[in-house]
Amino acid sequence: KAGVTQTPRYLIKTRGQQVTLSCSPISGHRSVSWYQQTPGQGLQFLFEYFSETQRNKGNFPGRFSGRQFSNSRSEMNVSTLELGDSALYLCASSLQGQFSTEAFFGQGTRLTVV
Amino acid sequence: SQQGEEDPQALSIQEGENATMNCSYKTSINNLQWYRQNSGRGLVHLILIRSNEREKHSGRLRVTLDTSKKSSSLLITASRAADTASYFCATDGGANNLFFGTGTRLTVIP
């Protein structure tokens, strides 16, 4: 079956702009989580959606938001971009939630803010 | 922070040797998982060990878990050049998200 698909793979944005990243989970998976990976902070949890509801949220400012659609596809949005938002953004899907089963990750979206 | 720590941060070995990485975490867990990441790409799930398990095997991988010490180890036997990657442990911390360790960068020299 198809894996987790993230689009776009690479993105360059200017400070102050906003960006929307997309994630299509594995068919049948209802949980989608987002992570930010930077050299300095490592992998940090952003938020998790399950059946269109945000179930958990990490410690990120309100500029970071997300949503999940009825087909489980998810988007995350970052408004008023800052240089420090440059990172690899990873999306992961799992059947019910990542505490009980493995998570399947997409290849990520590399965001560069200039 | 609930983030775990891996030790060592970097490891370089010859092909055919065994590689051992350690992970320490801070809170009680339901399970602990290990993931591999090739440079700048997504994470690949390797193995999941539940809190009531002490050891688990998968091919050339062996994972141990000591909940009393809040630590886990990943052993890769007979390493190959293709094993070169970063390895992360991840714990659930009882929540619906994963807390990742800082990672061990493994280099296997052919």
Side-chain angles (χ1 to χ4, degrees), chain A residues 83-109:
Chain A
L83 295 179
D85 297 333
S86 294
L88 179 67
Y89 289 88
L90 294 163
C91 160
S93 80
S94 62
L95 277 171
Q96 293 290 339
Q98 292 169 56
F99 69 93
S100 60
T101 59
E102 65 183 283
F104 295 84
F105 282 80
Q107 292 298 297
T109 294

Side-chain angles (χ1 to χ4, degrees), chain A residues 23-26 28-32 51-52 68-74:
Chain A
C23 172
S24 293
I26 291 172
H29 284 193
R30 298 165 66 189
S31 171
V32 175
S51 294
E52 302 179 66
Q68 186 180 34
F69 302 95
S70 58
N71 62 357
S72 291
R73 190 178 71 85
S74 177

Side-chain angles (χ1 to χ4, degrees), chain A residues 17-109:
Chain A
Q17 287 186 314
Q18 75 164 19
V19 66
T20 299
L21 312 181
S22 179
C23 172
S24 293
I26 291 172
S27 178
H29 284 193
R30 298 165 66 189
S31 171
V32 175
S33 296
W34 289 88
Y35 293 83
Q36 180 196 64
Q37 186 177 29
T38 60
Q41 299 298 317
L43 278 152
Q44 301 216 34
F45 170 73
L46 281 156
F47 27 65
E48 188 236 1
Y49 286 88
F50 183 85
S51 294
E52 302 179 66
T53 300
Q54 187 181 88
R55 212 165 47 167
N56 205 357
K57 189 177 189 305
N59 189 26
F60 277 81
R63 299 185 297 107
F64 292 81
S65 63
R67 59 177 175 170
Q68 186 180 34
F69 302 95
S70 58
N71 62 357
S72 291
R73 190 178 71 85
S74 177
E75 290 181 345
M76 70 162 279
N77 184 277
V78 187
S79 62
T80 319
L81 283 166
E82 301 177 358
L83 295 179
D85 297 333
S86 294
L88 179 67
Y89 289 88
L90 294 163
C91 160
S93 80
S94 62
L95 277 171
Q96 293 290 339
Q98 292 169 56
F99 69 93
S100 60
T101 59
E102 65 183 283
F104 295 84
F105 282 80
Q107 292 298 297
T109 294

Side-chain angles (χ1 to χ4, degrees), chain A residues 9 33 35 37 41-43 45 48 55-56 88 90 97-108 110, chain B residues 3 30-31 33 35 37 39-46 48 50 88 92 94-102:
Chain A
R9 289 291 311 278
S33 296
Y35 293 83
Q37 186 177 29
Q41 299 298 317
L43 278 152
F45 170 73
E48 188 236 1
R55 212 165 47 167
N56 205 357
L88 179 67
L90 294 163
Q98 292 169 56
F99 69 93
S100 60
T101 59
E102 65 183 283
F104 295 84
F105 282 80
Q107 292 298 297
R110 173 75 63 184
Chain B
Q3 191 175 41
N30 293 305
N31 65 60
Q33 305 182 42
Y35 288 83
Q37 184 180 37
S39 182
R41 306 192 63 157
L43 281 77
V44 175
H45 182 267
L46 295 176
L48 181 153
R50 302 197 185 282
F88 296 88
D92 62 286
N96 291 322
N97 56 273
L98 293 173
F99 296 97
F100 284 88
T102 49

Side-chain angles (χ1 to χ4, degrees), chain B residues 63-76:
Chain B
V63 168
T64 62
L65 179 64
D66 187 335
T67 53
S68 66
K69 295 181 179 178
K70 291 188 170 57
S71 67
S72 174
S73 68
L74 169 67
L75 168 68
I76 303 174

